[in-house]
């Protein structure tokens, strides 16, 4: 039952993006199928008539009537199937006076609760995180971001009981896979400082993928001058096909990226205060 609900959630995420293409493709498929059904049913009736001893006119007309009936049944099924598939994205299917509603709220509510609990713990342990990163000399923006994402990976693995979930931070010089590069290319069409895109797949042995693009600040020393600069980094989140990404995941990732920047700024301020005090 859980797998069926996850499948419906995936359809709800992906179908609205390809609605017109799915409708046209499905209609064309069932039109061809109905034509084949007409031919097969007509030929089968000629070879095996249901009623014997018909007149000559009736003998030739009856198979075509049965063939049209078979084609009509296929077309009717195709119409219902196509519209049912497209309406899954709204969680409801309405056919004449019959309405079916798919309830996926249980999974969504559980996921939201786990996310809120995790983010509240992040806020609660903020002072400890600051002290830990300063003690371990993790002062660079990139090092802080990697530590925050390591914590996020731990949370996801615990929430989904899946140790294959990965949250990695890479610079733009990293050798990305073909699938990752395709998703990174989609980021170029988005606006904002933090760009995030995800892809849920339904094929076996595939991986759901979410990638965020952001900038991290770094300091370059040149002839005793401190020159601030930025470099582009990518946060790659991958997990099992049953664990789907949605807007809650993108908003959580955006929040954690901002949090890493806040930690970096606070560490810099604490270092300045301590230096002035000395």
């Amino acid at each position: 039952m859980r797998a069926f609900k996850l499948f419906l959630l995936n359809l709800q995420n992906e179908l609205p993006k390809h609605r017109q293409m799915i409708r046209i493709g499905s209609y064309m498929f069932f039109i061809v199928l109905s034509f084949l059904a007409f031919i097969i049913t007509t030929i089968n009736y000629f070879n095996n008539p249901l009623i014997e001893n018909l007149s000559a006119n009736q003998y030739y007309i009856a198979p075509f009537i049965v063939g049209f009936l078979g084609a009509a049944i296929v077309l009717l099924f195709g119409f219902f199937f196509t519209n049912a598939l497209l309406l899954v994205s709204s969680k409801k299917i309405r056919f004449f006076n019959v309405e079916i509603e798919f309830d996926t709220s249980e999974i969504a509510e559980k996921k939201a609760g786990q996310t809120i609990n995790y983010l509240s713990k992040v806020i609660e342990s903020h002072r400890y995180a600051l002290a830990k990163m300063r003690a371990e000399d993790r002062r660079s923006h990139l090092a802080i971001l990697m530590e925050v994402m390591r914590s996020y990976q731990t949370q996801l693995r615990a929430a989904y009981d899946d140790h294959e979930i990965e949250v990695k931070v890479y610079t733009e010089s990293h050798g990305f896979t073909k699938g990752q590069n395709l998703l990174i290319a989609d980021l170029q069409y988005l606006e904002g400082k933090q760009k995030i895109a995800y892809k849920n797949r339904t094929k076996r042995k595939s991986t759901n993928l979410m990638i965020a693009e952001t900038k991290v600040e770094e300091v370059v020393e040149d002839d005793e001058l401190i020159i601030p600069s930025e470099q582009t980094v990518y946060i790659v989140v991958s997990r099992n096909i049953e664990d789907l990404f949605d807007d809650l995941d993108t908003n959580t990732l955006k929040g954690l990226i901002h949090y890493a920047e806040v930690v970096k700024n606070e560490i810099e301020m604490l270092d300045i205060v301590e230096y002035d005090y000395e």
Side-chain angles (χ1 to χ4, degrees):
M1 186 56 122
R2 181 176 182 272
F4 179 66
K5 288 184 177 181
L6 288 170
F7 174 71
L8 290 177
L9 280 172
N10 192 28
L11 287 179
Q12 291 163 17
N13 289 331
E14 296 298 324
L15 284 181
K17 304 175 185 177
H18 312 287
R19 181 179 293 270
Q20 190 63 22
M21 183 180 68
I22 292 174
R23 178 182 285 110
I24 294 174
S26 182
Y27 283 162
M28 292 298 297
F29 172 77
F30 280 104
I31 287 173
V32 172
L33 196 63
S34 66
F35 180 71
L36 293 175
F38 170 77
I39 294 176
I40 293 171
T41 306
T42 302
I43 294 174
N44 184 65
Y45 192 92
F46 268 119
N47 296 330
N48 302 284
L50 296 176
I51 303 176
E52 302 287 348
N53 302 322
L54 293 174
S55 63
N57 290 336
Q58 292 175 332
Y59 177 80
Y60 288 106
I61 292 175
F64 290 104
I65 294 176
V66 174
F68 278 120
L69 181 61
I73 292 173
V74 172
L75 281 176
L76 184 62
F77 174 79
F79 172 79
F80 173 77
F81 176 83
T82 302
N83 285 277
L85 188 64
L86 294 172
L87 287 173
V88 164
S89 60
S90 64
K91 300 183 183 180
K92 289 184 180 181
I93 293 178
R94 187 175 182 83
F95 187 70
F96 294 107
N97 291 324
V98 179
E99 184 178 272
I100 305 174
E101 181 171 355
F102 299 99
D103 183 12
T104 56
S105 59
E106 181 181 347
I107 295 176
E109 289 173 2
K110 182 179 180 181
K111 182 177 180 179
Q114 291 172 340
T115 302
I116 292 171
N117 184 49
Y118 167 66
L119 294 177
S120 65
K121 288 182 178 179
V122 169
I123 296 172
E124 183 181 344
S125 61
H126 178 62
R127 288 187 177 182
Y128 169 77
L130 282 175
K132 181 175 183 289
M133 291 185 194
R134 293 186 72 206
E136 296 175 355
D137 199 23
R138 299 187 186 184
R139 285 171 163 77
S140 72
H141 194 174
L142 181 58
I144 294 170
L145 182 63
M146 293 177 71
E147 178 62 22
V148 171
M149 293 306 150
R150 186 199 62 78
S151 170
Y152 185 42
Q153 174 181 273
T154 301
Q155 184 268 338
L156 286 176
R157 288 181 173 182
Y160 290 95
D161 192 23
D162 186 354
H163 292 284
E164 294 184 2
I165 294 175
E166 286 192 345
V167 183
K168 299 295 183 182
V169 181
Y170 299 113
T171 60
E172 56 186 340
S173 60
H174 177 75
F176 295 98
T177 66
K178 181 180 178 180
Q180 291 170 349
N181 279 322
L182 289 173
L183 205 53
I184 289 173
D186 291 341
L187 295 174
Q188 308 309 314
Y189 300 98
L190 303 178
E191 297 180 355
K193 187 177 179 181
Q194 278 82 40
K195 302 177 180 180
I196 300 178
Y198 62 84
K199 177 67 176 178
N200 290 320
R201 295 178 173 87
T202 57
K203 295 180 181 179
R204 291 183 178 180
K205 298 183 180 179
S206 60
T207 305
N208 294 335
L209 191 65
M210 179 169 64
I211 295 182
E213 176 189 305
T214 188
K215 304 285 186 182
V216 295
E217 297 179 4
E218 58 181 356
V219 175
V220 179
E221 295 185 5
D222 183 20
D223 296 332
E224 297 183 355
L225 294 176
I226 298 177
I227 304 173
S229 63
E230 288 184 336
Q231 69 167 321
T232 302
V233 298
Y234 294 96
I235 301 161
V236 180
V237 186
S238 58
R239 62 195 194 195
N240 192 290
I241 59 172
E242 292 185 355
D243 303 328
L244 306 179
F245 290 114
D246 55 27
D247 291 342
L248 180 59
D249 293 294
T250 61
N251 291 329
T252 302
L253 194 53
K254 284 181 182 179
L256 292 174
I257 292 171
H258 284 298
Y259 176 72
E261 187 174 356
V262 169
V263 172
K264 188 247 334 165
N265 291 335
E266 289 200 20
I267 288 177
E268 289 178 351
M269 290 178 62
L270 289 171
D271 288 344
I272 292 172
V273 170
E274 286 189 0
Y275 178 80
D276 290 342
Y277 180 77
E278 292 175 357

